[in-house]
Amino acid sequence: MAERPVLVFDSGIGGLTVLREARVRMPDRRFVYVADDAGFPYGDWEEEALKQRIVALFGRLIAEHRPDIAVIACNTASTLVLTELRAAYPDTPFVGTVPAIKPAAERTRSGLVSVLATPGTVKREYTRGLIQSFAAQCHVRLVGSQNLARMAEAHIRGEAIDDVALRAETAPCFVEEAGKRTDIVVLACTHYPFLANVFRRLAPWPVDWLDPAEAIARRAVSLLKSKPVTEPHHGLDTAIFTSGNPDFQTRRLMHGFGLSVS
Ligand code: DGL
């Protein structure tokens, strides 16, 4: 019988930034990547409707793929629905992706930290709770971007993106106050690391762009310790798009990531 896979889930192709780290740490595992592109972008969804959509979708995904573990490689989903997913599917361990506010608060020297995320993630109770619990001593600016997830998708598919438009999305992250400057920007949407080089080029001053992908992969590895691989996986991994119809550029991208679109 085939090994049970690691399921990596996002609203779109941003979760690939987590998948690539996960593969480095778990080269023998089989992965199933799921993009809920029929619901993309998640950033503007009404919370209750999005919760119901994701819980129902996981019912089907778990029944079909029987994953050893599910990695929710999406901050917008994780900050909303992790508790419900764990309650609904107690036999499946879930690893979430939530804004890396705690490590940012530990590392900042200036005390000025920005969190760049979707509008959904910045308005979540969960995100406010992280700030209260771990960064009360810092000045944390939440920056909700309407357009960056789409821009990241366009960029990774090879389309040109406009520097001016991109700078407008990231500019609010840069705060100067009483002779101090923001020194860490938390990339709290898994799409954004695809734009990290552009962010660096356009930044008014250098900052640390914090990408949590490696930490998420490490967490998945530790949860999988009790489920060792008996037969290493060598073939292609699978990508599933809920639209059932990803475009040509997306299929090519998946191919580049060693994923066959089912
Ligand atoms: N990649 C997702 C995240 O980490 C969100 C993208 C979207 O659907 O707006 O938040």
Side-chain angles (χ1 to χ4, degrees):
M1 211 177 83
E3 290 286 330
R4 292 169 70 164
V6 174
L7 193 149
V8 179
F9 175 83
D10 183 33
S11 57
I13 57 185
L16 294 174
T17 61
V18 175
L19 177 72
R20 68 184 170 192
E21 289 297 334
R23 275 188 168 149
V24 169
R25 292 189 174 259
M26 296 177 274
D28 292 341
R29 297 264 172 191
R30 180 164 75 87
F31 289 85
V32 173
Y33 184 79
V34 180
D36 183 15
D37 62 329
F40 178 83
Y42 276 177
D44 289 329
W45 272 71
E46 193 273 313
E47 293 194 344
E48 206 41 50
L50 185 57
K51 244 184 220 175
Q52 285 175 21
R53 176 184 182 85
I54 297 172
V55 172
L57 182 56
F58 264 89
R60 298 193 291 276
L61 292 171
I62 289 171
E64 189 168 339
H65 301 286
R66 303 176 56 252
D68 261 344
I69 195 168
V71 178
I72 310 298
C74 175
N75 295 260
T76 315
S78 298
T79 52
L80 180 70
V81 74
L82 262 183
T83 312
E84 283 79 1
L85 285 172
R86 288 183 175 131
Y89 311 109
D91 295 337
T92 304
F94 285 90
V95 178
T97 306
V98 301
I101 288 167
K102 184 169 185 256
E106 284 162 4
R107 279 183 225 174
T108 178
R109 286 160 173 260
S110 68
L112 300 182
V113 169
S114 291
V115 177
L116 184 59
T118 66
T121 299
V122 301
K123 70 172 189 230
R124 301 269 188 263
E125 277 303 312
Y126 191 102
T127 306
R128 312 268 156 174
L130 287 176
I131 296 172
Q132 267 163 22
S133 310
F134 302 113
Q137 74 287 11
C138 298
H139 178 269
V140 180
R141 173 170 287 189
L142 292 171
V143 178
S145 166
Q146 286 293 347
N147 302 310
L148 272 181
R150 280 187 203 281
M151 286 172 143
E153 294 235 341
H155 177 67
I156 193 70
R157 288 194 185 99
E159 294 163 35
I161 44 165
D162 179 36
D163 281 0
V164 176
L166 193 130
R167 199 184 270 122
E169 303 290 321
T170 55
C173 293
F174 293 87
V175 180
E176 253 180 318
E177 219 171 66
K180 292 184 171 175
R181 286 172 157 183
T182 305
D183 62 354
I184 300 190
V185 178
V186 177
L187 297 175
C189 168
T190 51
H191 280 70
Y192 301 170
F194 281 132
L195 290 169
N197 283 336
V198 190
F199 290 159
R200 270 185 211 108
R201 179 168 58 78
L202 298 177
W205 60 81
V207 294
D208 191 359
W209 300 92
L210 208 64
D211 173 4
E214 200 190 321
I216 295 155
R218 265 191 271 117
R219 176 77 187 134
V221 170
S222 83
L223 287 181
L224 280 166
K225 282 228 168 76
S226 58
K227 300 176 178 180
V229 179
T230 46
E231 217 171 292
H233 174 68
H234 295 304
L236 276 180
D237 288 322
T238 309
I240 294 162
F241 286 78
T242 55
S243 67
N245 193 22
D247 61 20
F248 175 71
Q249 290 301 343
T250 306
R251 285 174 187 272
R252 265 182 42 160
L253 175 69
M254 293 299 126
H255 199 74
F257 267 85
L259 293 159
S260 78
V261 177
S262 86

PDB file of all heavy atoms in Angstrom, residues 150-188:
ATOM      1  N   ARG A 150      -2.261  38.370  -5.135  1.00  0.00           N
ATOM      2  CA  ARG A 150      -2.435  38.279  -6.597  1.00  0.00           C
ATOM      3  C   ARG A 150      -1.148  38.644  -7.330  1.00  0.00           C
ATOM      4  O   ARG A 150      -0.787  38.033  -8.328  1.00  0.00           O
ATOM      5  CB  ARG A 150      -3.517  39.256  -7.054  1.00  0.00           C
ATOM      6  CG  ARG A 150      -4.921  38.775  -6.843  1.00  0.00           C
ATOM      7  CD  ARG A 150      -5.863  39.793  -7.505  1.00  0.00           C
ATOM      8  NE  ARG A 150      -7.187  39.739  -6.942  1.00  0.00           N
ATOM      9  CZ  ARG A 150      -8.086  38.816  -7.258  1.00  0.00           C
ATOM     10  NH1 ARG A 150      -7.788  37.901  -8.141  1.00  0.00           N
ATOM     11  NH2 ARG A 150      -9.273  38.821  -6.699  1.00  0.00           N
ATOM     12  N   MET A 151      -0.482  39.696  -6.825  1.00  0.00           N
ATOM     13  CA  MET A 151       0.772  40.118  -7.481  1.00  0.00           C
ATOM     14  C   MET A 151       1.806  39.006  -7.400  1.00  0.00           C
ATOM     15  O   MET A 151       2.552  38.764  -8.346  1.00  0.00           O
ATOM     16  CB  MET A 151       1.313  41.381  -6.815  1.00  0.00           C
ATOM     17  CG  MET A 151       0.537  42.617  -7.147  1.00  0.00           C
ATOM     18  SD  MET A 151       1.140  43.956  -6.098  1.00  0.00           S
ATOM     19  CE  MET A 151       1.058  45.303  -7.193  1.00  0.00           C
ATOM     20  N   ALA A 152       1.858  38.337  -6.240  1.00  0.00           N
ATOM     21  CA  ALA A 152       2.828  37.242  -6.079  1.00  0.00           C
ATOM     22  C   ALA A 152       2.507  36.105  -7.050  1.00  0.00           C
ATOM     23  O   ALA A 152       3.402  35.516  -7.654  1.00  0.00           O
ATOM     24  CB  ALA A 152       2.823  36.729  -4.641  1.00  0.00           C
ATOM     25  N   GLU A 153       1.211  35.827  -7.221  1.00  0.00           N
ATOM     26  CA  GLU A 153       0.835  34.765  -8.168  1.00  0.00           C
ATOM     27  C   GLU A 153       1.261  35.155  -9.583  1.00  0.00           C
ATOM     28  O   GLU A 153       1.802  34.347 -10.339  1.00  0.00           O
ATOM     29  CB  GLU A 153      -0.684  34.515  -8.122  1.00  0.00           C
ATOM     30  CG  GLU A 153      -1.148  33.939  -6.798  1.00  0.00           C
ATOM     31  CD  GLU A 153      -1.923  32.623  -6.906  1.00  0.00           C
ATOM     32  OE1 GLU A 153      -2.431  32.309  -7.984  1.00  0.00           O
ATOM     33  OE2 GLU A 153      -1.999  31.908  -5.883  1.00  0.00           O
ATOM     34  N   ALA A 154       1.042  36.431  -9.942  1.00  0.00           N
ATOM     35  CA  ALA A 154       1.414  36.889 -11.288  1.00  0.00           C
ATOM     36  C   ALA A 154       2.931  36.789 -11.464  1.00  0.00           C
ATOM     37  O   ALA A 154       3.425  36.295 -12.490  1.00  0.00           O
ATOM     38  CB  ALA A 154       0.938  38.331 -11.485  1.00  0.00           C
ATOM     39  N   HIS A 155       3.659  37.218 -10.453  1.00  0.00           N
ATOM     40  CA  HIS A 155       5.113  37.239 -10.518  1.00  0.00           C
ATOM     41  C   HIS A 155       5.674  35.825 -10.707  1.00  0.00           C
ATOM     42  O   HIS A 155       6.526  35.592 -11.566  1.00  0.00           O
ATOM     43  CB  HIS A 155       5.642  37.859  -9.228  1.00  0.00           C
ATOM     44  CG  HIS A 155       7.125  37.892  -9.108  1.00  0.00           C
ATOM     45  ND1 HIS A 155       7.923  38.666  -9.924  1.00  0.00           N
ATOM     46  CD2 HIS A 155       7.970  37.238  -8.272  1.00  0.00           C
ATOM     47  CE1 HIS A 155       9.182  38.492  -9.583  1.00  0.00           C
ATOM     48  NE2 HIS A 155       9.239  37.622  -8.585  1.00  0.00           N
ATOM     49  N   ILE A 156       5.160  34.902  -9.926  1.00  0.00           N
ATOM     50  CA  ILE A 156       5.721  33.550  -9.988  1.00  0.00           C
ATOM     51  C   ILE A 156       5.328  32.849 -11.289  1.00  0.00           C
ATOM     52  O   ILE A 156       6.011  31.951 -11.769  1.00  0.00           O
ATOM     53  CB  ILE A 156       5.340  32.713  -8.728  1.00  0.00           C
ATOM     54  CG1 ILE A 156       6.155  31.437  -8.622  1.00  0.00           C
ATOM     55  CG2 ILE A 156       3.874  32.411  -8.683  1.00  0.00           C
ATOM     56  CD1 ILE A 156       7.587  31.663  -8.284  1.00  0.00           C
ATOM     57  N   ARG A 157       4.259  33.329 -11.920  1.00  0.00           N
ATOM     58  CA  ARG A 157       3.888  32.775 -13.234  1.00  0.00           C
ATOM     59  C   ARG A 157       4.640  33.458 -14.369  1.00  0.00           C
ATOM     60  O   ARG A 157       4.399  33.208 -15.530  1.00  0.00           O
ATOM     61  CB  ARG A 157       2.390  32.959 -13.481  1.00  0.00           C
ATOM     62  CG  ARG A 157       1.530  32.061 -12.659  1.00  0.00           C
ATOM     63  CD  ARG A 157       0.106  32.067 -13.198  1.00  0.00           C
ATOM     64  NE  ARG A 157      -0.742  31.287 -12.346  1.00  0.00           N
ATOM     65  CZ  ARG A 157      -1.544  31.803 -11.409  1.00  0.00           C
ATOM     66  NH1 ARG A 157      -1.601  33.094 -11.228  1.00  0.00           N
ATOM     67  NH2 ARG A 157      -2.272  31.020 -10.660  1.00  0.00           N
ATOM     68  N   GLY A 158       5.499  34.410 -14.013  1.00  0.00           N
ATOM     69  CA  GLY A 158       6.354  35.027 -15.034  1.00  0.00           C
ATOM     70  C   GLY A 158       5.811  36.322 -15.598  1.00  0.00           C
ATOM     71  O   GLY A 158       6.355  36.880 -16.543  1.00  0.00           O
ATOM     72  N   GLU A 159       4.719  36.852 -15.026  1.00  0.00           N
ATOM     73  CA  GLU A 159       4.191  38.128 -15.522  1.00  0.00           C
ATOM     74  C   GLU A 159       4.948  39.291 -14.882  1.00  0.00           C
ATOM     75  O   GLU A 159       5.470  39.160 -13.773  1.00  0.00           O
ATOM     76  CB  GLU A 159       2.697  38.261 -15.168  1.00  0.00           C
ATOM     77  CG  GLU A 159       1.827  37.249 -15.889  1.00  0.00           C
ATOM     78  CD  GLU A 159       0.456  37.124 -15.242  1.00  0.00           C
ATOM     79  OE1 GLU A 159      -0.081  38.137 -14.744  1.00  0.00           O
ATOM     80  OE2 GLU A 159      -0.069  35.988 -15.224  1.00  0.00           O
ATOM     81  N   ALA A 160       4.975  40.439 -15.604  1.00  0.00           N
ATOM     82  CA  ALA A 160       5.668  41.609 -15.052  1.00  0.00           C
ATOM     83  C   ALA A 160       4.803  42.239 -13.969  1.00  0.00           C
ATOM     84  O   ALA A 160       3.584  42.272 -14.084  1.00  0.00           O
ATOM     85  CB  ALA A 160       5.910  42.614 -16.164  1.00  0.00           C
ATOM     86  N   ILE A 161       5.435  42.708 -12.897  1.00  0.00           N
ATOM     87  CA  ILE A 161       4.659  43.452 -11.899  1.00  0.00           C
ATOM     88  C   ILE A 161       5.247  44.852 -11.760  1.00  0.00           C
ATOM     89  O   ILE A 161       6.443  45.057 -11.930  1.00  0.00           O
ATOM     90  CB  ILE A 161       4.583  42.754 -10.526  1.00  0.00           C
ATOM     91  CG1 ILE A 161       5.945  42.206 -10.117  1.00  0.00           C
ATOM     92  CG2 ILE A 161       3.545  41.659 -10.501  1.00  0.00           C
ATOM     93  CD1 ILE A 161       5.996  41.859  -8.669  1.00  0.00           C
ATOM     94  N   ASP A 162       4.360  45.771 -11.467  1.00  0.00           N
ATOM     95  CA  ASP A 162       4.718  47.175 -11.462  1.00  0.00           C
ATOM     96  C   ASP A 162       5.352  47.563 -10.117  1.00  0.00           C
ATOM     97  O   ASP A 162       4.748  47.393  -9.062  1.00  0.00           O
ATOM     98  CB  ASP A 162       3.411  47.955 -11.709  1.00  0.00           C
ATOM     99  CG  ASP A 162       3.655  49.442 -11.703  1.00  0.00           C
ATOM    100  OD1 ASP A 162       4.716  49.857 -12.183  1.00  0.00           O
ATOM    101  OD2 ASP A 162       2.784  50.179 -11.190  1.00  0.00           O
ATOM    102  N   ASP A 163       6.580  48.101 -10.188  1.00  0.00           N
ATOM    103  CA  ASP A 163       7.298  48.485  -8.966  1.00  0.00           C
ATOM    104  C   ASP A 163       6.511  49.497  -8.131  1.00  0.00           C
ATOM    105  O   ASP A 163       6.491  49.412  -6.895  1.00  0.00           O
ATOM    106  CB  ASP A 163       8.651  49.110  -9.317  1.00  0.00           C
ATOM    107  CG  ASP A 163       9.699  48.051  -9.665  1.00  0.00           C
ATOM    108  OD1 ASP A 163       9.360  46.841  -9.622  1.00  0.00           O
ATOM    109  OD2 ASP A 163      10.837  48.426  -9.993  1.00  0.00           O
ATOM    110  N   VAL A 164       5.885  50.450  -8.818  1.00  0.00           N
ATOM    111  CA  VAL A 164       5.187  51.517  -8.084  1.00  0.00           C
ATOM    112  C   VAL A 164       4.005  50.926  -7.316  1.00  0.00           C
ATOM    113  O   VAL A 164       3.785  51.212  -6.126  1.00  0.00           O
ATOM    114  CB  VAL A 164       4.702  52.623  -9.057  1.00  0.00           C
ATOM    115  CG1 VAL A 164       3.890  53.681  -8.327  1.00  0.00           C
ATOM    116  CG2 VAL A 164       5.903  53.244  -9.761  1.00  0.00           C
ATOM    117  N   ALA A 165       3.269  50.037  -7.991  1.00  0.00           N
ATOM    118  CA  ALA A 165       2.111  49.414  -7.341  1.00  0.00           C
ATOM    119  C   ALA A 165       2.564  48.547  -6.171  1.00  0.00           C
ATOM    120  O   ALA A 165       1.943  48.532  -5.102  1.00  0.00           O
ATOM    121  CB  ALA A 165       1.338  48.584  -8.356  1.00  0.00           C
ATOM    122  N   LEU A 166       3.663  47.855  -6.366  1.00  0.00           N
ATOM    123  CA  LEU A 166       4.143  46.980  -5.294  1.00  0.00           C
ATOM    124  C   LEU A 166       4.638  47.796  -4.098  1.00  0.00           C
ATOM    125  O   LEU A 166       4.352  47.477  -2.941  1.00  0.00           O
ATOM    126  CB  LEU A 166       5.239  46.058  -5.820  1.00  0.00           C
ATOM    127  CG  LEU A 166       5.546  44.930  -4.847  1.00  0.00           C
ATOM    128  CD1 LEU A 166       5.520  43.589  -5.565  1.00  0.00           C
ATOM    129  CD2 LEU A 166       6.877  45.115  -4.182  1.00  0.00           C
ATOM    130  N   ARG A 167       5.355  48.883  -4.423  1.00  0.00           N
ATOM    131  CA  ARG A 167       5.868  49.720  -3.330  1.00  0.00           C
ATOM    132  C   ARG A 167       4.728  50.310  -2.512  1.00  0.00           C
ATOM    133  O   ARG A 167       4.819  50.435  -1.292  1.00  0.00           O
ATOM    134  CB  ARG A 167       6.764  50.822  -3.893  1.00  0.00           C
ATOM    135  CG  ARG A 167       7.663  51.420  -2.840  1.00  0.00           C
ATOM    136  CD  ARG A 167       8.483  52.589  -3.351  1.00  0.00           C
ATOM    137  NE  ARG A 167       9.767  52.198  -3.905  1.00  0.00           N
ATOM    138  CZ  ARG A 167      10.164  52.466  -5.141  1.00  0.00           C
ATOM    139  NH1 ARG A 167       9.365  53.104  -5.979  1.00  0.00           N
ATOM    140  NH2 ARG A 167      11.363  52.111  -5.561  1.00  0.00           N
ATOM    141  N   ALA A 168       3.625  50.622  -3.186  1.00  0.00           N
ATOM    142  CA  ALA A 168       2.465  51.182  -2.470  1.00  0.00           C
ATOM    143  C   ALA A 168       1.931  50.181  -1.433  1.00  0.00           C
ATOM    144  O   ALA A 168       1.427  50.571  -0.371  1.00  0.00           O
ATOM    145  CB  ALA A 168       1.367  51.552  -3.462  1.00  0.00           C
ATOM    146  N   GLU A 169       2.037  48.881  -1.732  1.00  0.00           N
ATOM    147  CA  GLU A 169       1.534  47.866  -0.801  1.00  0.00           C
ATOM    148  C   GLU A 169       2.460  47.700   0.413  1.00  0.00           C
ATOM    149  O   GLU A 169       2.008  47.432   1.515  1.00  0.00           O
ATOM    150  CB  GLU A 169       1.412  46.495  -1.491  1.00  0.00           C
ATOM    151  CG  GLU A 169       0.530  46.470  -2.732  1.00  0.00           C
ATOM    152  CD  GLU A 169      -0.950  46.636  -2.430  1.00  0.00           C
ATOM    153  OE1 GLU A 169      -1.426  46.081  -1.422  1.00  0.00           O
ATOM    154  OE2 GLU A 169      -1.635  47.326  -3.217  1.00  0.00           O
ATOM    155  N   THR A 170       3.764  47.842   0.188  1.00  0.00           N
ATOM    156  CA  THR A 170       4.706  47.562   1.283  1.00  0.00           C
ATOM    157  C   THR A 170       5.114  48.828   2.060  1.00  0.00           C
ATOM    158  O   THR A 170       5.590  48.714   3.193  1.00  0.00           O
ATOM    159  CB  THR A 170       5.994  46.878   0.758  1.00  0.00           C
ATOM    160  OG1 THR A 170       6.561  47.697  -0.258  1.00  0.00           O
ATOM    161  CG2 THR A 170       5.706  45.512   0.191  1.00  0.00           C
ATOM    162  N   ALA A 171       4.912  50.000   1.467  1.00  0.00           N
ATOM    163  CA  ALA A 171       5.379  51.248   2.108  1.00  0.00           C
ATOM    164  C   ALA A 171       4.910  51.402   3.563  1.00  0.00           C
ATOM    165  O   ALA A 171       5.702  51.823   4.428  1.00  0.00           O
ATOM    166  CB  ALA A 171       4.958  52.447   1.267  1.00  0.00           C
ATOM    167  N   PRO A 172       3.644  51.050   3.888  1.00  0.00           N
ATOM    168  CA  PRO A 172       3.204  51.250   5.281  1.00  0.00           C
ATOM    169  C   PRO A 172       3.975  50.400   6.302  1.00  0.00           C
ATOM    170  O   PRO A 172       3.876  50.642   7.510  1.00  0.00           O
ATOM    171  CB  PRO A 172       1.724  50.823   5.261  1.00  0.00           C
ATOM    172  CG  PRO A 172       1.325  50.848   3.819  1.00  0.00           C
ATOM    173  CD  PRO A 172       2.552  50.567   3.019  1.00  0.00           C
ATOM    174  N   CYS A 173       4.747  49.419   5.820  1.00  0.00           N
ATOM    175  CA  CYS A 173       5.530  48.587   6.758  1.00  0.00           C
ATOM    176  C   CYS A 173       6.699  49.361   7.352  1.00  0.00           C
ATOM    177  O   CYS A 173       7.260  48.952   8.377  1.00  0.00           O
ATOM    178  CB  CYS A 173       6.123  47.369   6.040  1.00  0.00           C
ATOM    179  SG  CYS A 173       4.896  46.198   5.482  1.00  0.00           S
ATOM    180  N   PHE A 174       7.102  50.442   6.706  1.00  0.00           N
ATOM    181  CA  PHE A 174       8.333  51.128   7.121  1.00  0.00           C
ATOM    182  C   PHE A 174       8.000  52.317   8.015  1.00  0.00           C
ATOM    183  O   PHE A 174       7.481  53.328   7.554  1.00  0.00           O
ATOM    184  CB  PHE A 174       9.133  51.537   5.881  1.00  0.00           C
ATOM    185  CG  PHE A 174       9.651  50.335   5.147  1.00  0.00           C
ATOM    186  CD1 PHE A 174       8.875  49.688   4.191  1.00  0.00           C
ATOM    187  CD2 PHE A 174      10.891  49.798   5.463  1.00  0.00           C
ATOM    188  CE1 PHE A 174       9.329  48.543   3.551  1.00  0.00           C
ATOM    189  CE2 PHE A 174      11.351  48.647   4.828  1.00  0.00           C
ATOM    190  CZ  PHE A 174      10.575  48.022   3.873  1.00  0.00           C
ATOM    191  N   VAL A 175       8.299  52.160   9.271  1.00  0.00           N
ATOM    192  CA  VAL A 175       7.938  53.163  10.276  1.00  0.00           C
ATOM    193  C   VAL A 175       9.224  53.769  10.844  1.00  0.00           C
ATOM    194  O   VAL A 175      10.178  53.045  11.138  1.00  0.00           O
ATOM    195  CB  VAL A 175       7.132  52.505  11.428  1.00  0.00           C
ATOM    196  CG1 VAL A 175       6.749  53.526  12.495  1.00  0.00           C
ATOM    197  CG2 VAL A 175       5.895  51.799  10.883  1.00  0.00           C
ATOM    198  N   GLU A 176       9.219  55.088  10.980  1.00  0.00           N
ATOM    199  CA  GLU A 176      10.347  55.783  11.627  1.00  0.00           C
ATOM    200  C   GLU A 176       9.769  56.546  12.788  1.00  0.00           C
ATOM    201  O   GLU A 176       8.821  57.317  12.608  1.00  0.00           O
ATOM    202  CB  GLU A 176      10.972  56.772  10.631  1.00  0.00           C
ATOM    203  CG  GLU A 176      12.293  56.306  10.119  1.00  0.00           C
ATOM    204  CD  GLU A 176      12.928  57.276   9.142  1.00  0.00           C
ATOM    205  OE1 GLU A 176      12.212  57.820   8.277  1.00  0.00           O
ATOM    206  OE2 GLU A 176      14.148  57.469   9.261  1.00  0.00           O
ATOM    207  N   GLU A 177      10.323  56.325  13.978  1.00  0.00           N
ATOM    208  CA  GLU A 177       9.703  56.911  15.163  1.00  0.00           C
ATOM    209  C   GLU A 177      10.780  57.172  16.202  1.00  0.00           C
ATOM    210  O   GLU A 177      11.526  56.243  16.543  1.00  0.00           O
ATOM    211  CB  GLU A 177       8.707  55.886  15.732  1.00  0.00           C
ATOM    212  CG  GLU A 177       7.421  56.466  16.253  1.00  0.00           C
ATOM    213  CD  GLU A 177       6.456  55.328  16.584  1.00  0.00           C
ATOM    214  OE1 GLU A 177       6.751  54.554  17.513  1.00  0.00           O
ATOM    215  OE2 GLU A 177       5.446  55.214  15.892  1.00  0.00           O
ATOM    216  N   ALA A 178      10.870  58.375  16.676  1.00  0.00           N
ATOM    217  CA  ALA A 178      11.827  58.750  17.728  1.00  0.00           C
ATOM    218  C   ALA A 178      13.231  58.218  17.427  1.00  0.00           C
ATOM    219  O   ALA A 178      13.874  57.592  18.279  1.00  0.00           O
ATOM    220  CB  ALA A 178      11.332  58.232  19.079  1.00  0.00           C
ATOM    221  N   GLY A 179      13.661  58.434  16.193  1.00  0.00           N
ATOM    222  CA  GLY A 179      15.023  58.029  15.806  1.00  0.00           C
ATOM    223  C   GLY A 179      15.178  56.530  15.596  1.00  0.00           C
ATOM    224  O   GLY A 179      16.288  56.043  15.398  1.00  0.00           O
ATOM    225  N   LYS A 180      14.082  55.783  15.633  1.00  0.00           N
ATOM    226  CA  LYS A 180      14.165  54.330  15.399  1.00  0.00           C
ATOM    227  C   LYS A 180      13.404  53.960  14.140  1.00  0.00           C
ATOM    228  O   LYS A 180      12.487  54.670  13.731  1.00  0.00           O
ATOM    229  CB  LYS A 180      13.572  53.578  16.590  1.00  0.00           C
ATOM    230  CG  LYS A 180      14.416  53.735  17.821  1.00  0.00           C
ATOM    231  CD  LYS A 180      13.869  52.904  18.936  1.00  0.00           C
ATOM    232  CE  LYS A 180      14.873  52.902  20.090  1.00  0.00           C
ATOM    233  NZ  LYS A 180      14.342  52.202  21.230  1.00  0.00           N
ATOM    234  N   ARG A 181      13.794  52.821  13.579  1.00  0.00           N
ATOM    235  CA  ARG A 181      13.148  52.374  12.345  1.00  0.00           C
ATOM    236  C   ARG A 181      12.719  50.915  12.464  1.00  0.00           C
ATOM    237  O   ARG A 181      13.386  50.131  13.160  1.00  0.00           O
ATOM    238  CB  ARG A 181      14.154  52.431  11.197  1.00  0.00           C
ATOM    239  CG  ARG A 181      14.476  53.805  10.709  1.00  0.00           C
ATOM    240  CD  ARG A 181      15.632  53.682   9.722  1.00  0.00           C
ATOM    241  NE  ARG A 181      15.663  54.813   8.813  1.00  0.00           N
ATOM    242  CZ  ARG A 181      16.507  54.940   7.821  1.00  0.00           C
ATOM    243  NH1 ARG A 181      17.413  53.990   7.578  1.00  0.00           N
ATOM    244  NH2 ARG A 181      16.464  55.995   7.028  1.00  0.00           N
ATOM    245  N   THR A 182      11.672  50.579  11.724  1.00  0.00           N
ATOM    246  CA  THR A 182      11.286  49.164  11.606  1.00  0.00           C
ATOM    247  C   THR A 182      12.506  48.360  11.173  1.00  0.00           C
ATOM    248  O   THR A 182      13.199  48.744  10.225  1.00  0.00           O
ATOM    249  CB  THR A 182      10.201  49.006  10.513  1.00  0.00           C
ATOM    250  OG1 THR A 182       9.124  49.862  10.829  1.00  0.00           O
ATOM    251  CG2 THR A 182       9.752  47.560  10.381  1.00  0.00           C
ATOM    252  N   ASP A 183      12.753  47.247  11.865  1.00  0.00           N
ATOM    253  CA  ASP A 183      13.880  46.410  11.424  1.00  0.00           C
ATOM    254  C   ASP A 183      13.459  44.983  11.035  1.00  0.00           C
ATOM    255  O   ASP A 183      14.264  44.229  10.514  1.00  0.00           O
ATOM    256  CB  ASP A 183      15.026  46.406  12.459  1.00  0.00           C
ATOM    257  CG  ASP A 183      14.605  45.836  13.808  1.00  0.00           C
ATOM    258  OD1 ASP A 183      13.414  45.543  13.994  1.00  0.00           O
ATOM    259  OD2 ASP A 183      15.487  45.700  14.682  1.00  0.00           O
ATOM    260  N   ILE A 184      12.178  44.635  11.293  1.00  0.00           N
ATOM    261  CA  ILE A 184      11.712  43.305  10.876  1.00  0.00           C
ATOM    262  C   ILE A 184      10.318  43.428  10.246  1.00  0.00           C
ATOM    263  O   ILE A 184       9.437  44.086  10.802  1.00  0.00           O
ATOM    264  CB  ILE A 184      11.624  42.318  12.069  1.00  0.00           C
ATOM    265  CG1 ILE A 184      13.005  42.152  12.716  1.00  0.00           C
ATOM    266  CG2 ILE A 184      11.060  40.969  11.624  1.00  0.00           C
ATOM    267  CD1 ILE A 184      13.109  41.046  13.728  1.00  0.00           C
ATOM    268  N   VAL A 185      10.171  42.809   9.093  1.00  0.00           N
ATOM    269  CA  VAL A 185       8.833  42.693   8.497  1.00  0.00           C
ATOM    270  C   VAL A 185       8.494  41.206   8.420  1.00  0.00           C
ATOM    271  O   VAL A 185       9.212  40.419   7.793  1.00  0.00           O
ATOM    272  CB  VAL A 185       8.760  43.332   7.091  1.00  0.00           C
ATOM    273  CG1 VAL A 185       7.363  43.141   6.495  1.00  0.00           C
ATOM    274  CG2 VAL A 185       9.123  44.819   7.138  1.00  0.00           C
ATOM    275  N   VAL A 186       7.421  40.832   9.101  1.00  0.00           N
ATOM    276  CA  VAL A 186       6.991  39.431   9.105  1.00  0.00           C
ATOM    277  C   VAL A 186       6.193  39.167   7.825  1.00  0.00           C
ATOM    278  O   VAL A 186       5.207  39.860   7.546  1.00  0.00           O
ATOM    279  CB  VAL A 186       6.085  39.154  10.334  1.00  0.00           C
ATOM    280  CG1 VAL A 186       5.574  37.720  10.312  1.00  0.00           C
ATOM    281  CG2 VAL A 186       6.835  39.452  11.630  1.00  0.00           C
ATOM    282  N   LEU A 187       6.628  38.187   7.056  1.00  0.00           N
ATOM    283  CA  LEU A 187       5.884  37.806   5.849  1.00  0.00           C
ATOM    284  C   LEU A 187       4.775  36.850   6.301  1.00  0.00           C
ATOM    285  O   LEU A 187       4.977  35.648   6.409  1.00  0.00           O
ATOM    286  CB  LEU A 187       6.821  37.152   4.837  1.00  0.00           C
ATOM    287  CG  LEU A 187       7.943  38.060   4.305  1.00  0.00           C
ATOM    288  CD1 LEU A 187       8.891  37.297   3.401  1.00  0.00           C
ATOM    289  CD2 LEU A 187       7.365  39.271   3.575  1.00  0.00           C
ATOM    290  N   ALA A 188       3.598  37.417   6.568  1.00  0.00           N
ATOM    291  CA  ALA A 188       2.524  36.631   7.181  1.00  0.00           C
ATOM    292  C   ALA A 188       1.488  36.192   6.141  1.00  0.00           C
ATOM    293  O   ALA A 188       0.294  36.116   6.425  1.00  0.00           O
ATOM    294  CB  ALA A 188       1.886  37.423   8.309  1.00  0.00           C
TER     295      ALA A 188
END
